[in-house]
Amino acid sequence: MTQGKRISTDIGEDALQTIRALGAAAKAARLAAGEGQAAAAARLGVHVQTIGRVEAGEPGVSIGHMVGLLALYGVGLQPQQPQER
């Protein structure tokens, strides 16, 4: 498992890649808006370290913080139905 807060179960590499991609998207959107991590943290109501953890793609970050940061900068997520096996 990667660094960061422990999560209760091991998750697959595909899920870890998705978390990292979302973190990178959040960082790119924040930078495009011309804001620093401190400004993003103040707007989201979290500690600046939380922003860093989200952007680093740490798997133990709250999904609410991840989605909240993306939403601050207009990045939406569209859930997909599972594919049949």
Side-chain angles (χ1 to χ4, degrees):
M1 191 158 48
T2 62
Q3 69 181 25
K5 216 174 190 182
R6 290 191 58 150
I7 53 178
S8 60
T9 60
D10 289 329
I11 58 176
E13 187 59 34
D14 58 334
L16 290 173
Q17 288 177 358
T18 299
I19 293 166
R20 289 183 199 119
L22 290 171
K27 182 176 182 176
R30 177 184 58 76
L31 291 173
E35 288 193 349
Q37 287 184 337
R43 291 180 64 198
L44 193 57
V46 299
H47 195 279
V48 70
Q49 288 178 333
T50 300
I51 301 301
R53 291 180 58 231
V54 168
E55 292 180 352
E58 290 186 17
V61 173
S62 160
I63 192 166
H65 292 151
M66 172 71 77
V67 173
L69 182 59
L70 290 166
L72 280 179
Y73 299 105
V75 179
L77 298 175
Q78 188 65 34
Q80 296 178 352
Q81 294 297 319
Q83 296 177 354
E84 290 187 29
R85 294 182 185 216

